Amino acid sequence: MKIAEARVVVTCPGRNFVALKLVTDDGVTGVGDATLNGRELAVAAYLREHVCPLLLGRDPHRIGDTWQYLYKGGYWRDGPVTMTAISAVDTALWDIKGKVAGLPVYQLLGGAARSGVLGYAHANGATTAEALDDVARQVADGYRAVRIQVAVPGVEGTYGVGHGGHYEPAHGAAPEETTWSTERYLSFIPSVFEAARERFGPDLRLLHDVHHRLTGIEAARLGKALEPYGLFWMEDPLPAENVDAFRLIRQHTTTPIATGEVVTSIWHCRDLITEQLVDYVRTSVTHAGGITHLRRIFDLADLYRIRTGSHGPSDSSPVGLAAALHVDLAVPNFGIQEHMRHPTEADEVFPHAYRYADGYLHPGDEPGLGVDVDEDAAARFPYRPAYLPVARLHDGTLHDW
Ligand code: CS2
Ligand code: MG
């Protein structure tokens, strides 16, 4: 069996996605997600120009060898563009292997370790009251875990808060300029979770995303202030490369910490894991080397009783979510899976077998990943440039968004 074709599909059904489709000489297809929000065409070109030609003629069953060939063989290792491209190839090869075996990918990973994948929904609002009404909607929809983001008074364009309805941060031919004030944020956020606990009681799992904006000591202060409300996690208090600052947070607070959505390899989260500086590792199948590499990261985490909390935003495609769900179902140390629904047009371009019911997701039982890209439907939604925002302090200094 040989890889006979490798096609890159760029499409914008509600938002931009890149998919890789591999076809074998006997007609088996496999898909991988190659979406890197705001830098989509860089990955598409990396695949088309440098990776696809090398795949032709290779044995699709040699998943591990192909991974090493693309990682070590490129000489220039790592980085989000390279790793997203490798992720897409790896995921597509697992899809092919599953189809050839006639089994869903989670069976090849050891089989189901649980009956369903606990998902967390997003709730947001311009005010606390609005956000809590959104939490109530998610709870009514069955979710047992909800992330809450609320616009900080006096801070325009707070991260995670939609412009009415669905939250989609990437838009426009240049990044939107937003403002940020750590002081206002820190004094406001604890009141949101106090109100959430009052309204929803002790059982609902509550999550919050800080989106890399604090220093170590600021994050420590926030973690302490949130302790009375028993958060499931405080996400990305600061950029993951600052391992020392995570050490500082750990000295001050027992609020659980999740990080890793921008981490692209095991090397970048090794110290966070082995020093137990985080409680949940959020690396994604789309950006951290596909199913093969994600399993290595999650296995390392399991040695330290650290659980998984895979990134699952609507800017990873349904192919990425499907692949994540197969891993989630099989690994011993699964924690939670982010679930942000895709726009309807995206579900149409990427028909899938995964399903959501009553707080839990399941990848389905079709052979392979159980997801595809409909190339005719994809062609109806041409790429539109869309960038993530930037954040500035009130004096104009560029801050982390
Ligand atoms: C986020 C993302 O889902 C999350 O937790 O942090 O929404 C993130 O902003 C985007 O994936 C960036 O592309
Ligand atoms: Mg996040």
Side-chain angles (χ1 to χ4, degrees), residues 278-329:
V278 298
D279 301 280
Y280 294 89
V281 57
R282 274 179 55 68
T283 38
S284 80
V285 74
T286 302
H287 303 125
I291 291 173
T292 300
H293 199 66
L294 201 61
R295 282 176 84 204
R296 296 186 73 189
I297 296 174
F298 289 174
D299 275 346
L300 179 66
D302 188 43
L303 295 181
Y304 298 90
R305 299 178 78 83
I306 292 170
R307 286 181 285 170
T308 72
S310 279
H311 196 208
S314 51
D315 52 81
S316 289
S317 80
V319 178
L321 180 59
L325 293 175
H326 285 275
V327 177
D328 292 338
L329 200 65

Side-chain angles (χ1 to χ4, degrees), residues 236-259:
D236 288 336
L238 42 82
E241 60 262 33
N242 291 320
V243 176
D244 284 339
F246 279 87
R247 292 189 187 104
L248 184 62
I249 302 173
R250 278 305 216 207
Q251 288 163 17
H252 292 281
T253 179
T254 56
T255 292
I257 297 167
T259 204

Side-chain angles (χ1 to χ4, degrees), residues 57-82:
R58 290 183 69 87
D59 177 356
H61 280 306
R62 297 185 65 186
I63 300 179
D65 182 68
T66 302
W67 199 100
Q68 298 293 336
Y69 180 70
L70 295 176
Y71 185 81
K72 294 178 177 158
Y75 186 63
W76 307 106
R77 297 176 184 202
D78 207 356
V81 174
T82 302

Side-chain angles (χ1 to χ4, degrees), residues 15 36-38 120 122 147 159-160 167 169-170 209 211-212 233 235-236 261-262 282 287 311-316 338 340 388 401:
R15 69 154 355 275
L36 185 61
N37 202 4
Y120 72 87
H122 284 200
R147 183 189 97 160
Y159 163 77
Y167 171 64
D209 192 348
H211 222 251
H212 330 275
W233 78 34
E235 176 177 335
D236 288 336
E261 66 179 50
V262 299
R282 274 179 55 68
H287 303 125
H311 196 208
S314 51
D315 52 81
S316 289
E338 181 175 19
M340 210 173 156
L388 289 168
W401 176 73

